[in-house]
Amino acid sequence: MRSPDMFRGSEEKIAGFILAAGEGSRLRPLTCEKPKAMIPFCGVSMLELVTSQMVEAGITTIGVNTCHLASQVEEGVRSIQETLGVSMKVSREDFFLGTGGGIRKGAKLFPEARHFLIYNADVLLDCDLSFLIRSHLIRKAAVTTFLLYNKGPCTVLMGRDNRIKVFRTEEGKGRYTFTGVHIFRRDLLNLLPKEDPCTIIEAYERAIEKDLPVFGLSLSLKKSYWADLGRQEEYLRAHGEIADFGIRRNHCLQEAQAEQARRRAHLEQMGVRCTGGLGLGKNLTVPAGSHLHNAVVWDGVSFKKPSLYSDAVFSRKKISAPFGKVCRDSPDPRVWSFLGKKAEDVSISPLRVQGSGRKYFRIRTEEGSLIWCLYSHQKRENAAFTALSEFLRSLSIHVPEIYLHLCDVGEYLAQDLGDITLQRICNQEETERILKKTIQQIARLHLFGDTAARLREVPFQQGFTKGLYDWERDYFREHILVRLLNRQSMWIPVAREYCALRDSLLSEPLLPIHRDLQSANIMVVKGIPWFIDFQGMRLGSAAYDIGSLLFDPYRSYSRTLRISLWKIYQKTVRRFGGTPPSDYIYYSAAVQRLFQALGAYGKLWQEDGLVWYRQFILPGLALLAEAADEGGYSAIGKLAREVHIHVKEVFSSE
């Protein structure tokens, strides 16, 4: 730690000031429970991380402003003073004054200070903070701020002499991003607007107009780390990034990083799978068999049942995620908090009935609409949707953005893609165009997804094995041959042929696949295909996806079109530098997929009462016969035609 007297020789009194008064609206609903300064990062409050770094840089007189949930911040300040032995003063605001008004009010607590080192409470930084201070004093600057080059919103313009020309230009028009860590001379407070609320940037802009020395220091991302934790997605992402970063300057964060590794190792020893970026609090209860992925868990949280807990912040003390049938039709109160709305200010309408323990609704506000999903943890894959969405977006694949994930109650808010699916497109030319774009998208997943998935530790479902292929076979036998027709013996002549088909698929390379790629799961927005219902993603044969897409009972494309599109897929894969599956594997995968789809239609209709799926059984059997014939599976082709006759008789007799 640096000496508290390191700047005494300059005869320049410096006070630190931490901006912690804001409501933290971008972090809602977390900031409904805690002010942003007290939200933990790697198990330590942001306020303590910032304060400790100031102390290490030689600043031992520190102010904190507070407004939203002020008593929690004041309690945190008292605790930090005892821990770090630093003098801290709180400037409490009756209403939010903005950064400028807040600093102006807080500066009165430090009449002797000639400079103020300002630090946003929701900024995470590992760099030499004393370098910022020294540069400011040596140059006799009015303002000196850390800037980030070519990352973030990039709204700052700086000249070659490191003097800032413009602080606020259009996003992306500048080359630098303001980091929220800066130091300024006290007399600049006179340049603030007289009325509150106001921002400190207004004073800086007036200083530039007056040609006062306003400097920027560009941070090197090779030696420094910076993150804006003001949004939940950045808050989650930073936990993963910091685990891989070699922390040099922020020793409090360095200790927290080491403690996180110990807590993670302890959970893994207790039978909990830990992947992605994690932030683990103290005194957690996580049952063996659970899977934590890209999750932040606050102190004292207890999970009731083992499941996948993914891409969310868990702040409630007891997590009793829903494991039964989804019955609710009203959002968790945190949804309204996130939207900044009251229930009476929006309209909610249900979308069509879905299977797999999920219910979808459309929420309409004055600003637009979103999709709200309720899901059950009974199917572990439902909780993976958010993680898979982020993964697919990283591959430039069109999928809906997830705005809020409440994994503890099985809810998420997602981008509304409208109501048009590929299944509903009637124009043949438009259909073919969308299918071609779909193939280009899915080829990206097959070719580039494997390495990306391993780097991200994506929580795929169990990959295709002999057992899973056999389960799909049995799904067909149980719900079509047994329950619908009571003719289980019809399978006997095809048993040996099916084993050969299954073994051929097992010999294929395992790649990330959508697993349910059919026209009802492809939304069309302005002529562009977007994938949905990909929570069942897993490793399998790439041909399974293409077989699902082209041998689709919802659409039943012509044989000529299927052959043409299959060749386009093969050509696309070769262009990307890969080797596509053979024709034989493609038709084998189509047969396998149709067994699964037909079993699902039978189950959803007969067992779940979803009559809508009944209409696709006969088209599915016709496609099964075609795929089997093309692949040389004569016994399966014969079975499909016989079953088609019997099912038609059953339907006619009803």
Side-chain angles (χ1 to χ4, degrees), residues 2-14 54 56-59 117 129-135 137 183:
R2 295 182 182 276
S3 166
D5 300 324
M6 62 178 293
F7 302 115
R8 181 170 292 175
S10 66
E11 298 183 355
E12 300 282 1
K13 300 292 184 179
I14 304 171
M54 282 189 168
E56 289 185 44
I59 305 299
L117 175 65
L129 199 57
S130 62
F131 175 66
L132 175 74
I133 301 170
R134 287 197 306 272
S135 298
L137 297 178
I183 183 171

Side-chain angles (χ1 to χ4, degrees), residues 582-637:
S582 67
D583 291 355
Y584 171 66
I585 292 297
Y586 161 56
Y587 289 116
S588 300
V591 170
Q592 178 71 36
R593 163 63 181 184
L594 285 164
F595 280 142
Q596 186 277 333
L598 285 162
Y601 301 152
K603 189 260 185 187
L604 291 167
W605 163 41
Q606 299 171 101
E607 195 171 299
D608 298 343
L610 302 177
V611 182
W612 185 78
Y613 291 97
R614 176 185 182 274
Q615 63 185 303
F616 303 112
I617 293 177
L618 288 175
L621 288 167
L623 286 173
L624 178 61
E626 288 188 53
D629 290 345
E630 296 282 5
Y633 297 109
S634 57
I636 294 175

Side-chain angles (χ1 to χ4, degrees), residues 246-266:
I247 300 170
R248 294 175 170 85
R249 299 287 182 176
N250 192 329
H251 291 94
C252 181
L253 182 58
Q254 194 176 64
E255 292 172 8
Q257 182 192 53
E259 177 61 21
Q260 286 297 301
R262 289 189 286 268
R263 292 176 185 177
R264 183 169 182 151
H266 172 72

Side-chain angles (χ1 to χ4, degrees), residues 158-213:
M158 184 170 67
R160 292 184 178 180
D161 58 356
N162 287 350
R163 290 186 68 151
I164 295 176
K165 296 179 178 180
V166 178
F167 253 104
R168 293 183 290 189
T169 185
E170 291 183 38
E171 188 169 325
K173 296 291 185 180
R175 301 182 67 185
Y176 297 89
T177 293
F178 178 60
T179 62
V181 180
H182 43 115
I183 183 171
F184 72 92
R185 210 168 55 211
R186 188 187 191 101
D187 59 286
L188 261 71
L189 292 173
N190 298 326
L191 301 181
L192 283 170
K194 293 182 180 180
E195 300 296 325
D196 292 324
C198 61
T199 74
I200 192 65
I201 299 301
E202 292 177 87
Y204 293 177
E205 289 172 331
R206 291 185 180 182
I208 293 171
E209 291 173 3
K210 291 178 176 291
D211 202 29
L212 296 177

Side-chain angles (χ1 to χ4, degrees), residues 39-59:
I39 285 178
F41 183 83
C42 286
V44 180
S45 75
M46 296 184 190
L47 183 61
E48 184 173 348
L49 290 172
V50 171
T51 303
S52 64
Q53 191 169 21
M54 282 189 168
V55 172
E56 289 185 44
I59 305 299

